[in-house]
Amino acid sequence: MLKKTKSMDMYRRYAGFVLAFVFCQSLGVVLFNILVDPYGVMNAPRVAGFNHIKAEINQQVRRFKALEVIRIQPQTVLLGSSRTEFGLDPDRLALQGNPPAYNLGLPAANMYEVRRYLEHAIANQSNLKTAAIGLDLLMFNQFTENTPDFLEARLETNHLVWQDILDSTFSIDALIASAKTIKRSLSYPNETVGFYYKDGQKNAQFYRKAIYGEQSTKAIIAQGLKYGVFQPVDRDRIYQVSLRYLQELQTVVKLCEEHEIDCRFFISPSHAIQWEAIRAVEGWNAFERWKREVVKILPVWDFSGYNSITTEPLNGNLKNYWDNSHYKQKVGDMVLSRIFGDESEKVPDDFGVLITPENIESHLAKIRRDREAWAKENPETVKFVENLKPSAKD
């Protein structure tokens, strides 16, 4: 009996030691992740060479930006896909009437996500005054689902939710993200911004350097088309305009009216090569049909098509574009100047047309004519796109 008691005591001590060891390890992981703060959730101080380059924010944009809305409580928001995120500067003169302004663009966003993040902004700032929303065809694609980093629970709240706390501190993914953050911070000791500016705009120059290295603009465009427009096997699924997402746009319009938000909508100005790729996979009819449906809901500024900005030649580094899809801030400044009626900056006459049910057909016909003229003058670019397009059996 005595031996049994001693044996039981020994097992208890061993179990206690194991539990204490596991607890200390877990606590160490939590404290380490809080200190590094790889997702920018805990608002920990940024230390150069340690955690100032939060690379993993790029993988958890929806979490990060939802929290920033709570912290900043912006009176002006910019919404849309990554095109908004790359190209629109919240500090632009056209938006300075209602500060602070925040770029709420979300990569690969659909219209449901845009609506929910607008509601989140309203919930945290009842005095939200101004919004600009960039619209893209793929935001309305029937098969564009919410991305993995989207979480309903974090929206329309004014605090950090428990799931985000646990995922950001007490998880293997967070520990790996912390290690990557330190590694990236050591690699770029002199970089002061990282992937995002404080106002939510993507630091496109750093993004390009960190993701693509020394690749040429043309090589980056080829990748963008290959893994974007040309990637899906069933291309019919790319261009199925969703009635649900059109209804989400109607909801956004009503929200802005109800809360007296001055909201301007526009179709993003991707490079002409993007439109050529859409044509190559027989998506042009859907593109036009989508525009017809949008103008039934509201007038919208259309910056797409073949104009003096979007048809920049593919020679060396582009002045207006980072790739086939994302426009640079100088183009975004012109977009904001046009849609907000700011005449302090010169905007080309052919860049930006307000389309309505009355002029939509003539507008679409003009884009078709512009495309034919552009294609005749740029056969090499047309061939470049055709060569990238997969064959039917791929």
Side-chain angles (χ1 to χ4, degrees), residues 111 131-135 140 245-254 256-257 262-267 290-302 353-360:
M111 271 309 300
I133 301 180
L135 304 178
F140 292 79
Y245 289 150
L246 288 168
Q247 290 171 339
E248 292 291 354
L249 177 59
Q250 290 178 315
T251 301
V252 167
V253 173
K254 290 178 181 178
C256 292
E257 291 174 350
D262 178 11
C263 189
R264 313 294 174 97
F265 297 82
F266 67 93
I267 296 173
W290 168 65
K291 289 183 181 181
R292 291 188 182 100
E293 293 300 323
V294 168
V295 298
K296 290 178 183 177
I297 300 171
L298 79 160
V300 59
W301 287 94
D302 188 5
V353 176
L354 185 64
I355 55 176
T356 66
E358 288 70 36
N359 70 353
I360 181 64

Side-chain angles (χ1 to χ4, degrees), residues 80-353:
S81 67
S82 59
R83 296 168 187 176
T84 292
E85 185 179 53
F86 272 79
L88 295 191
D89 177 14
D91 289 335
R92 178 73 186 120
L93 179 62
L95 303 175
Q96 288 181 353
N98 294 300
Y102 190 75
N103 190 317
L104 253 181
L106 303 171
N110 59 45
M111 271 309 300
Y112 174 75
E113 292 178 306
V114 169
R115 190 259 291 181
R116 293 295 289 122
Y117 271 78
L118 175 62
E119 289 175 332
H120 181 58
I122 293 171
N124 282 276
Q125 174 54 273
S126 59
N127 198 35
L128 186 65
K129 293 291 188 182
T130 309
I133 301 180
L135 304 178
D136 297 300
L137 174 60
L138 292 184
M139 292 166 59
F140 292 79
N141 177 27
Q142 182 176 345
F143 302 98
T144 303
E145 300 178 350
N146 298 344
T147 55
D149 63 330
F150 179 85
L151 180 67
E152 289 282 359
R154 68 169 65 106
L155 299 177
E156 295 190 69
T157 66
N158 60 1
H159 57 82
L160 185 60
V161 298
W162 275 108
Q163 182 170 337
D164 281 340
I165 293 174
L166 292 174
D167 288 346
S168 301
T169 59
F170 192 65
S171 71
I172 296 298
D173 287 342
L175 185 61
I176 295 171
S178 291
K180 289 181 178 179
T181 297
I182 294 174
K183 181 179 179 180
R184 192 66 69 103
S185 297
L186 289 170
S187 300
Y188 298 97
N190 299 319
E191 173 63 41
T192 59
V193 177
F195 280 92
Y196 284 92
Y197 295 99
K198 291 182 179 180
D199 58 16
Q201 184 181 10
K202 179 87 82 174
N203 181 358
Q205 193 165 7
F206 178 77
Y207 175 87
R208 174 170 172 158
K209 178 171 62 176
I211 301 300
Y212 294 108
E214 300 300 321
Q215 293 185 57
S216 68
T217 300
K218 203 164 185 177
I220 295 171
I221 287 174
Q223 288 187 54
L225 293 179
K226 180 178 179 181
Y227 296 107
V229 179
F230 293 150
Q231 182 184 36
V233 176
D234 183 3
R235 297 186 187 91
D236 290 338
R237 292 170 61 91
I238 312 175
Y239 303 114
Q240 295 293 321
V241 180
S242 165
L243 175 60
R244 175 198 169 197
Y245 289 150
L246 288 168
Q247 290 171 339
E248 292 291 354
L249 177 59
Q250 290 178 315
T251 301
V252 167
V253 173
K254 290 178 181 178
L255 276 170
C256 292
E257 291 174 350
E258 291 170 0
H259 293 273
E260 298 181 348
I261 301 168
D262 178 11
C263 189
R264 313 294 174 97
F265 297 82
F266 67 93
I267 296 173
S268 299
S270 291
H271 192 279
I273 201 169
Q274 178 80 0
W275 316 131
E276 198 63 18
I278 289 175
R279 287 181 60 88
V281 293
E282 301 180 358
W284 193 258
N285 288 339
F287 193 30
E288 290 190 342
R289 185 166 61 251
W290 168 65
K291 289 183 181 181
R292 291 188 182 100
E293 293 300 323
V294 168
V295 298
K296 290 178 183 177
I297 300 171
L298 79 160
V300 59
W301 287 94
D302 188 5
F303 294 91
S304 69
Y306 300 78
N307 52 60
S308 58
I309 299 298
T310 62
T311 56
E312 180 182 7
L314 300 182
N315 299 325
N317 288 326
L318 303 181
K319 295 180 179 179
N320 297 330
Y321 291 91
W322 295 107
D323 52 37
N324 52 290
S325 176
H326 301 102
Y327 52 92
K328 292 185 177 181
Q329 183 175 309
K330 62 177 292 185
V331 176
D333 287 349
M334 288 189 281
V335 168
L336 293 175
S337 292
R338 178 71 83 202
I339 67 177
F340 283 99
D342 176 13
E343 298 181 357
S344 63
E345 179 173 355
K346 177 65 177 175
V347 181
D349 292 337
D350 67 342
F351 188 57
V353 176

Side-chain angles (χ1 to χ4, degrees), residues 25-45 50-51 54 56 63 164-182:
Q25 272 200 325
S26 300
L27 181 61
V29 167
V30 170
L31 293 175
F32 177 67
N33 287 333
I34 290 174
L35 188 63
V36 178
D37 192 17
Y39 305 120
V41 168
M42 310 309 295
N43 208 20
F50 176 62
N51 70 339
K54 298 186 183 297
E56 297 310 296
R63 176 191 298 173
D164 281 340
I165 293 174
L166 292 174
D167 288 346
S168 301
T169 59
F170 192 65
S171 71
I172 296 298
D173 287 342
L175 185 61
I176 295 171
S178 291
K180 289 181 178 179
T181 297
I182 294 174

